Structures are given as structure tokens and as C-alpha cells.
Amino acid sequence: MSSLPPSHHVKGDPPPAVLPFSAAQSPPIRLYPLSSYTFSVKEPQLEEDDSVKKRLERLETHYHAHGMRRTCEGVLLCHEHNHPHVLMLQIANAFFKLPGDYIPPDADEMSGFKARLDERLAPTGSLSNSPANAGWNVHSALAQWWRPNFETFMYPYLPPHVSRPKECKKLYLVELPKTKVIACPKNMKLIAVPLFELYDNTGRYGPQLSAIPHLLSRYRWEFVDEEGEVVAWTPGGEVDGRVGMEDVGDAMAGG
């Protein structure tokens, strides 16, 4: 009986190992399971404006006093069933937003952003002293959205005829540690939304949130289980520099 050519693949066999496919990419980002985090509630945080009109009026007042408003929001990731999920705040069962807000005009961008994350998600009382609750690890900027006028529309580019935008909103990827205590205001819900739910779903989440899967496509992931072991990862690269090509092929095939 003649042997099969090396390139021939029999159905049911593990797929052949492939060469690494991760050139010019940053190291993979580890995501921990949603069950690793402790969630609590804290005092409600009411919206500053009760209508879109009032919000835009406040934006105009801010612009005339301080110039362009700077807003920072965080994309906080965990995983369920080895798929990235984004932590979002849900208000009144219909409105979704990322944690963060505009930062004071005299505040440093990064420290102002972290202070906003604390305001929105940091626990209070005895939980605030937990060692697992230290700070926020801001990984990198994902996107910039521009508001050219005192209107609701924002764009992922600055229109060429606009030299004085009214607001710039930055989205940052925030790496969550193995464990953390996260507190949600009582008048909001903290939900974990999978990327496949956000993708191409502008009708429910709007253009900014539904674009997050596109923004995250540049990254490679390592998914960690509750025991701290890497159990799945993005194909095409090594895992933490310790796993060889054959091991990767076997693991991705379930071997």
C-alpha cells in the first residue's frame, strides 16, 4: 500500500501544524474568565442631563469656557467559553455605554481617565482596600471619535473642513488582572457582551460600540481558565513563548 502524500489530510485527523503567523504583532493579551471577578453595587450615579438637548447645551457651555471636551472610555475585557466579552453599563434596559466620561479641562489625560474609571466602577467601603483592586492597567488607545458640531453625530475621523472640533472621545483597551472587585452603581447594570453580539449590530448598540470587534481584531488572545491555565488562544502564534508549533497544532485540534 502506498503512503499518502505529505500534504494529504484525512478527514478526522488533527489539522497539520502551521508556521507562526504573528509577525509585527504585539504580545498576546490574556483574558480571564468572568467568574474570576467579584461584582458589587454602590450608590446610584444619576445622569447630569435628562435630555439630549440639555447635554448638547452643556457641551456648548464647556466649549466656550474650556475648548474641546476630552472624553475617555474603557474597553474592559474578560471571556466566557473562550470568546472575548466587553463589560458595559446598561441604563434603563435600552441604553449601553462604556465606563468612563469626560475628564476635567485641567486634568492630565491618563490620570483623569483612571479617576473616571474609579468613579464609575471602583468599590467603596471595605472592598476598596482589597489588594486585587489596585489601579487600572491601560494597555493602548483603540480609537478616536470626533464631534464636529454641537450635534449628536460623531465620526471616526476628523472631517477635512473642521478645524475646531467640539469633542474628542478616545476608547482605551484596559487590561483586567486575574481578580478584581468591580462595583456598579445601583441605577445601572454591568453586563458582559460578546463580540459576536456587538459585531454589525448598530441598531442595538450604535456605531461606536458595534465597531469594537473591528478595533480588537488587531490583537491576539490567550484565554485562561479558573485555575490560571491557558486553555485556548488565537491560532497562528506561540503561547507565552513556551509552546512549540506541534503542541499548538495538537492543542487547537483538541489533542
Side-chain angles (χ1 to χ4, degrees), residues 108-120:
D108 170 77
E109 178 180 345
M110 196 55 59
S111 60
F113 172 45
K114 291 179 179 180
R116 280 302 203 180
L117 287 179
D118 279 339
E119 178 182 322
R120 199 62 99 186

Side-chain angles (χ1 to χ4, degrees), residues 24-25 27 33 52 56 66 88-89 98 101 105 140 143 169 175 185 201 228:
Q25 283 185 291
V52 174
L56 295 176
H66 307 290
M88 289 186 186
L89 295 164
L98 296 171
D101 212 327
S140 55
K169 177 190 288 187
E175 283 192 89
N201 199 351

